Amino acid sequence: MENIEKNIENMEKLGILPLRNMVLFPGVMIGITVTRESSKQLVKDAFASNRPIAVCCQKKKETATPKGEDLYLLGTAARVVRLDEQKDHSIQVVIQGEERIELSDVEDNPLSTHVIPRPEVLPPANDYTFVQVVDTLREQAVQVMKQSEGFSIEAAMALRNINSASALVNYLCVNFGFSIADKQQLLAIETIQERANQLLERFQKEVEMLQMRAEIQNKTNQEISKDQREYYLHHQLETIQKELGDTTLQIVQEMQEKAKQKKWNEVTAQLFEDELKKLQRMGSRSPEYAMQQTYLDTLLDLPWNEYTTDNFDLLHARQVLDNDHYGMEKVKERLIEYLAVLGRKNSVKSPILCLYGPPGVGKTSLGKSVAHALGRMYARISLGGLHDEAEIRGHRKTYIGAMPGRIIENMRKCKSSNPVFVLDEIDKVGVDYKGDPTSALLEVLDPEQNNTFHDNYLDTDYDLSKVLFIATANTLDTIPRPLLDRMELIEMTGYLMEEKEAILERHILPKQMSEHGLNQDDIILPKATADYLIMHYTRESGVRSLERQVAALCRKTVTQKALGNNPNIELDEADIRTYLGKPRYTQDMYENNDYVGVVTGLAWTQVGGEILFIESSLSPSKSPTLTLTGNLGDVMKESATIALAYIKAHADELGIPQKSIQSQSAHIHVPEGAIPKDGPSAGITMTTALVSAFTKRKVRPRIAMTGEMTLRGKVLPIGGVKEKILAAKRAGITDLILCEDNRKDVEEIPDKYLNGLTFHYVQDIHQVIDYAII
C-alpha cells in the first residue's frame, strides 16, 4: 500500500476552525455556516491567501468559545473553496478536506495549532476484495436512504456517481447519521480498506434495524384495521373532553399549586417534578396513570418539614399526665425531663422510649396523654403478629397495589412530622419468608439514622428524627438485642391495691357511668366495697378486668332502673355478690402459726405480690432424702437443695444433732400446687422452715421473709420489693426480713404504704434464724 501524496508540512502552524456536530474527512466537500467572529476572520484570511486550515470537531456542541482542551485532537486539513457573506452577517463557506492531521501545541488565542500529518493509506489498485466491499457499501447506502425519511432520488444518483473508492468511503462517513464519537473512530483508522470494513459493519446493522422496523410497521398496519373503530371512538372522546375541559391538565395544575406550598428539600422537589412529567406524558387511559397519580398524591399529602408547636408548660404537662394516669412516676418524670430539655434548647433528638410490663397497666393509653401534654398529634400502629417487612418499609411503587409502609401512612394521616407515635406490642413481631420487620424497625428507632428513613414506595428519604416514638411490650425476651439497644427501657410494674382503689375512684367508675348513661350519684362504691371487688373478683396486674366488672355493675344498675326497680345507690358486698355472682378469688391472710416447720414467704407475680406458705416436715428414714412438692420450678428446687446442704454442713452451729439429720427425710411443700412457682427469693424461707422442723422450735408470729441464699449462708437481694411489702401488709404481717441491700428499695416507697410494718435487714442466714425462730 502507498501513502496519499503529502500536502501539509510537518509541524506547520494552521488556524483552527472548530465544528459543532460534524467531522470532516479527506476528499469530502461540505458546506457550513460560520457565525463566530474568530472563525469568520479565519475563513476570510484562508480564502484570500489560499492557505489551508485545521478543521476539528468539538467534544461538546454546547461549548460557545472552545479552547484546545474542548477539541478532538484528530482532524482534517482543508481549504476554503467558496465564501458567501449573508445579510445576517454570517458566512456560508464550502470547504474541501485534503489530509488527516493531528493537533500539537494548541494555542487558545487565537485558536491555532502546529499539525502533524497523518496521511491515509490506500489499498493496491488491483485489490479485488476492496472493490467488492466498496460496491456493497454503495448498494447498502442506497437501500438505507430509500427506507429512511427524507429520501431523494438526487442523493442516490450523486452517491452512484462517485467514482473514487476512497472518496466514496469518506463521503459515507461524513454524510450518514453516525454519532460524532463513531465518526471520530472511523477517522482514526489509518487504512482506507479497514475503514471500509468498519463502515460496512455499521451499515449492515442499520439495514437489519430498518428491516425489523418495516416488519413491525407491516404488522401494525394489519392490526390497525381491527382497532381502527376503537381508535377513532377514543379520539372523538378525547376531543369531547378537551371541549369540556381537560381533566388531566387540571389535575397537573392543582398538583403544581400544592407543590409550591410544600417545604421539602431540593432532592424531593426534583423527584416530584420528574414524576409529574411522567404523569403528563401518560394517557389517562394508561393502566399506570392511576398508580402514578396516587404516588404523587402521597408525596403531596405528607407533611414535609411541617411541625406542630410544642407546649413547653411543664406544670400543664404534669397536670395532664396526673389527670389521665395514676402512678407511673418514673415514666412521667422521664417525659417531663424531655420536655424541659426541649424547651430550653429547642432542638433535641427524640428519645425512643419502650414501656414494658404486664398487660392492662396503661402502656398504650399513656401515648395519648403524652400527645395531649405536648400538644402534638397522635399516631399508633399495632405490631402484634406483623411478619411482612413491607408493612414497615412499604412496597416498591412499580408493583400493582403498592402502598407506603404503615410508618409513612400514619405520618400522612397526622399531617405533622413530629407526632407522638406509639408502636404497640413490639415484642410480638413475627418473622417469615417475607422478611424480618424488626430489621426494618432498626432504622426507624435509631435516633442517629431515622432522619433519613427510606420508604420503598416513596423512594426518597423522610425525616423521622422529630417523632417521639413510644414502644410497648409485655416482655423483653422476644425482642432482638439490636432493637433493645436502640430504646430506653422503662419498666411498668402492676398496680398496687392502693393504686387500683384510686384508679377505680378517679377514672374507671366515672368513665363507665358516663358510657352507660348514669349520673354521678347513681352508683357509690365505698372503700370497703371497692376493696372487696378488687380482691375477690379480679386478679391482674392492670385494671382491664376491673373495668369489665365495673361495666357489669353499671349494666345491672341500668337494667334495674329500666324495670322500674330502685336499686341501691351505695353498693355493699352483698350487692356485689348479687350482681357479679360468687367471689372468684380468695385473698390469702396470715393465720396464727402454731406449727413448727411452717414459715411465711413472699412472692412476686404478674398480678402483684402474694404471701407464700412454706411447709416442711420430717419422717424417719434409713436413707434420708429430700422431697419437694407444690409445682416448683428448677430454681426453687435448687434453693431447697442448697438449704438442706447448708443445714447439714452447719448442723452444730444451728444446734441440730447430726443423728437427727442422718435418720430423717425432709419434705418441703408449697401449697396451691396447681400454680407454677419459681424463683430464688424463697431461699432463706426454706432454710428457716427446715431449721424449725429439725430443732422443733416455732417461728415468730406475724413475720414474713424473702431473700436468696448462697451455699455459704450469705443473703442476697431480690426484686419486686414494693409488691411483696404490700402483699404482706394486706395479709396482716407486721415484721419483714429482707436483705440489707434491699434497704434502698424500701426507702423509695412512700411512707403511707409502710405504716404498721417493721423491717429487719440481714446479711447472713444466722441473723434470720436468730430473729425468726423462738
Side-chain angles (χ1 to χ4, degrees):
M1 296 187 181
E2 298 179 357
N3 294 345
I4 296 177
E5 182 181 356
K6 187 174 181 181
N7 296 317
I8 307 300
E9 296 293 334
N10 189 35
M11 298 306 292
E12 182 177 351
K13 189 173 184 181
L14 302 178
I16 301 176
L17 176 64
L19 302 181
R20 291 182 184 273
N21 53 5
M22 189 177 297
V23 178
L24 180 63
F25 279 69
V28 179
M29 185 180 296
I30 61 173
I32 59 174
T33 301
V34 180
T35 58
R36 296 189 183 108
E37 293 299 327
S38 58
S39 297
K40 289 195 289 186
Q41 188 61 44
L42 175 65
V43 296
K44 287 180 181 179
D45 294 343
F47 184 69
S49 61
N50 196 27
R51 279 184 53 79
I53 58 176
V55 179
C56 296
C57 184
Q58 299 176 191
K59 294 178 181 177
K60 296 181 180 179
K61 66 180 181 179
E62 298 85 5
T63 306
T65 307
K67 299 180 180 179
E69 60 189 17
D70 300 319
L71 303 175
Y72 287 103
L73 296 182
L74 187 65
T76 304
R79 294 188 183 273
V80 180
V81 178
R82 193 171 66 187
L83 185 149
D84 294 323
E85 296 191 31
Q86 305 297 310
K87 293 181 180 180
D88 60 356
H89 303 295
S90 63
I91 300 178
Q92 293 291 333
V93 179
V94 177
I95 55 178
Q96 170 81 43
E98 291 190 345
E99 185 175 356
R100 284 194 328 153
I101 55 171
E102 182 181 348
L103 277 59
S104 178
D105 301 329
V106 179
E107 298 178 3
D108 292 334
N109 192 15
L111 197 59
S112 59
T113 180
H114 290 89
V115 297
I116 303 173
R118 299 297 184 195
E120 298 171 318
V121 179
L122 288 173
N126 57 352
D127 191 337
Y128 179 76
T129 303
F130 176 67
V131 174
Q132 293 296 322
V133 170
V134 171
D135 289 342
T136 304
L137 270 175
R138 192 193 309 270
E139 294 301 324
Q140 288 195 345
V142 172
Q143 186 177 353
V144 170
M145 291 175 65
K146 289 181 178 179
Q147 297 185 22
S148 302
E149 296 181 1
F151 164 72
S152 65
I153 299 177
E154 292 78 6
M157 292 179 62
L159 188 63
R160 295 183 183 278
N161 291 331
I162 299 176
N163 297 321
S164 171
S166 59
L168 176 64
V169 172
N170 289 345
Y171 175 84
L172 294 176
C173 291
V174 172
N175 290 285
F176 276 78
F178 306 121
S179 66
I180 296 299
D182 285 344
K183 292 182 179 182
Q184 283 292 146
Q185 290 179 359
L186 291 170
L187 182 62
I189 299 174
E190 184 177 5
T191 65
I192 294 294
Q193 186 173 15
E194 179 61 25
R195 187 180 299 168
N197 292 334
Q198 292 289 330
L199 191 60
L200 182 60
E201 290 182 8
R202 286 171 168 78
F203 269 113
Q204 287 175 342
K205 291 180 181 179
E206 184 68 20
V207 170
E208 291 175 0
M209 290 182 62
L210 289 172
Q211 290 175 348
M212 187 180 301
R213 189 182 305 170
E215 291 176 1
I216 294 173
Q217 188 172 1
N218 290 334
K219 291 181 180 179
T220 304
N221 291 335
Q222 294 174 2
E223 294 176 358
I224 198 169
S225 58
K226 301 177 182 178
D227 302 333
Q228 194 169 17
R229 177 180 174 80
E230 182 180 351
Y231 170 79
Y232 284 129
L233 289 174
H234 281 302
H235 185 71
Q236 290 177 1
L237 181 59
E238 289 178 358
T239 304
I240 293 172
Q241 288 178 340
K242 289 181 180 179
E243 291 294 330
L244 296 175
D246 192 339
T247 56
T248 302
L249 181 60
Q250 182 180 356
I251 291 172
V252 170
Q253 291 174 346
E254 290 176 356
M255 288 183 174
Q256 289 173 335
E257 290 299 320
K258 289 183 180 180
K260 293 178 182 178
Q261 309 300 322
K262 306 308 289 185
K263 300 177 182 178
W264 45 33
N265 55 35
E266 294 182 2
V267 175
T268 308
Q270 186 60 49
L271 173 67
F272 176 80
E273 288 297 326
D274 294 343
E275 296 297 328
L276 187 61
K277 289 178 181 177
K278 290 182 183 178
L279 181 71
Q280 290 176 290
R281 291 194 296 267
M282 291 179 181
S284 58
R285 301 191 308 275
S286 172
E288 293 83 10
Y289 182 85
M291 296 170 57
Q292 186 71 6
Q293 183 179 350
T294 302
Y295 173 72
L296 291 171
D297 286 337
T298 301
L299 287 178
L300 290 170
D301 288 344
L302 282 172
W304 300 90
N305 298 316
E306 298 174 17
Y307 307 102
T308 55
T309 303
D310 286 330
N311 186 350
F312 298 125
D313 187 346
L314 300 184
L315 295 178
H316 166 74
R318 185 72 194 193
Q319 182 180 2
V320 170
L321 294 175
D322 287 340
N323 289 341
D324 292 349
H325 295 271
Y326 187 85
M328 301 184 183
E329 298 303 324
K330 291 178 65 176
V331 184
K332 294 176 183 177
E333 181 181 358
R334 178 64 185 89
L335 294 170
I336 294 298
E337 290 172 358
Y338 166 72
L339 192 58
V341 176
L342 181 62
R344 184 175 184 85
K345 190 178 179 183
N346 201 26
S347 175
V348 63
K349 291 181 179 179
S350 291
I352 311 299
L353 305 179
C354 180
L355 310 178
Y356 70 97
V361 296
K363 301 184 295 297
T364 303
S365 59
L366 184 66
K368 285 186 178 180
S369 301
V370 173
H372 182 200
L374 298 179
R376 293 188 177 190
M377 303 300 291
Y378 171 75
R380 172 189 170 274
I381 61 174
S382 177
L383 301 176
L386 188 72
H387 56 270
D388 188 352
E389 184 179 348
E391 293 285 340
I392 303 298
R393 288 195 177 278
H395 309 81
R396 298 201 176 276
K397 62 185 177 71
T398 52
Y399 297 158
I400 296 176
M403 61 182 67
R406 296 171 68 178
I407 300 292
I408 293 299
E409 186 60 34
N410 276 273
M411 299 299 293
R412 179 183 182 180
K413 293 177 181 177
C414 286
K415 301 296 182 183
S416 166
S417 290
N418 63 336
V420 174
F421 206 125
V422 175
L423 301 173
D424 227 354
E425 310 290 353
I426 199 171
D427 58 324
K428 297 177 178 62
V429 178
V431 178
D432 66 4
Y433 68 94
K434 295 181 180 179
D436 183 1
T438 58
S439 299
L441 286 172
L442 292 178
E443 184 180 3
V444 176
L445 299 181
D446 192 338
E448 300 297 332
Q449 298 181 35
N450 61 11
N451 61 330
T452 55
F453 174 68
H454 189 87
D455 185 274
N456 291 329
Y457 183 78
L458 293 185
D459 200 23
T460 188
D461 294 336
Y462 191 87
D463 187 1
L464 297 176
S465 61
K466 301 298 189 296
V467 179
L468 176 57
F469 285 103
I470 299 178
T472 71
N474 297 132
T475 177
L476 303 180
D477 298 339
T478 57
I479 303 177
R481 177 58 56 183
L483 198 57
L484 279 177
D485 291 341
R486 286 163 167 79
M487 297 187 291
E488 181 177 340
L489 304 178
I490 300 178
E491 183 179 9
M492 294 181 64
T493 57
Y495 291 116
L496 308 173
M497 181 70 178
E498 291 76 4
E499 291 174 335
K500 289 183 179 180
E501 292 173 358
I503 293 171
L504 174 60
E505 178 184 357
R506 298 183 185 184
H507 301 287
I508 296 179
L509 185 58
K511 175 185 174 183
Q512 290 300 324
M513 290 175 65
S514 175
E515 291 183 355
H516 288 80
L518 295 173
N519 297 322
Q520 185 177 359
D521 298 331
D522 286 340
I523 294 180
I524 297 176
L525 276 179
K527 182 179 184 302
T529 307
D531 290 347
Y532 181 79
L533 174 65
I534 294 171
M535 288 189 298
H536 295 283
Y537 289 87
T538 65
R539 178 164 288 183
E540 57 178 345
S541 300
V543 291
R544 283 182 185 155
S545 180
L546 179 59
E547 188 166 5
R548 286 193 291 269
Q549 299 301 332
V550 174
L553 292 178
C554 292
R555 290 195 304 272
K556 297 292 184 181
T557 302
V558 171
T559 303
Q560 291 297 321
K561 287 181 175 292
L563 293 174
N565 300 328
N566 293 319
N568 293 335
I569 295 176
E570 185 171 332
L571 303 182
D572 56 18
E573 295 181 7
D575 293 322
I576 298 298
R577 288 193 295 270
T578 300
Y579 288 160
L580 302 181
K582 295 181 180 180
R584 301 179 182 180
Y585 307 103
T586 58
Q587 184 69 26
D588 291 331
M589 297 298 294
Y590 177 82
E591 300 176 359
N592 291 330
N593 188 5
D594 294 329
Y595 304 93
V596 297
V598 179
V599 184
T600 304
L602 298 172
W604 178 91
T605 68
Q606 285 194 347
V607 297
E610 292 184 357
I611 63 172
L612 198 69
F613 298 102
I614 306 294
E615 302 176 348
S616 62
S617 65
L618 303 175
S619 59
S621 175
K622 295 181 180 179
S623 301
T625 58
L626 174 63
T627 304
L628 302 173
T629 56
N631 200 353
L632 307 183
D634 292 338
V635 177
M636 207 164 182
K637 291 178 181 178
E638 291 174 358
S639 298
T641 304
I642 292 172
L644 184 58
Y646 181 83
I647 291 172
K648 289 179 178 180
H650 300 81
D652 295 339
E653 300 174 22
L654 298 172
I656 302 173
Q658 287 287 347
K659 182 179 180 181
S660 177
I661 296 176
Q662 295 173 0
S663 62
Q664 297 183 92
S665 292
H667 184 170
I668 296 178
H669 176 68
V670 184
E672 298 187 18
I675 302 175
K677 310 169 191 69
D678 202 5
S681 60
I684 64 173
T685 312
M686 290 182 169
T687 305
T688 304
L690 287 174
V691 171
S692 173
F694 278 116
T695 60
K696 302 188 184 307
R697 296 160 57 192
K698 296 180 182 179
V699 175
R700 191 182 299 273
R702 296 196 177 277
I703 189 173
M705 60 187 70
T706 179
E708 182 180 357
M709 191 188 80
T710 69
L711 200 56
R712 295 173 293 138
K714 181 177 176 61
V715 180
L716 302 179
I718 42 78
V721 175
K722 184 177 180 181
E723 289 83 356
K724 292 178 179 179
I725 288 175
L726 294 178
K729 185 177 180 180
R730 288 194 299 269
I733 301 295
T734 59
D735 291 85
L736 287 176
I737 297 179
L738 297 172
C739 176
E740 177 65 35
D741 291 338
N742 283 124
R743 185 190 294 268
K744 62 181 183 301
D745 300 316
V746 177
E747 292 174 351
E748 294 180 354
I749 302 174
D751 292 337
K752 65 180 181 180
Y753 297 138
L754 305 180
N755 294 334
L757 294 175
T758 302
F759 294 92
H760 306 273
Y761 299 103
V762 298
Q763 294 178 323
D764 188 86
I765 188 63
H766 285 278
Q767 294 175 283
V768 178
I769 295 172
D770 290 344
Y771 178 77
I773 297 181
I774 57 179

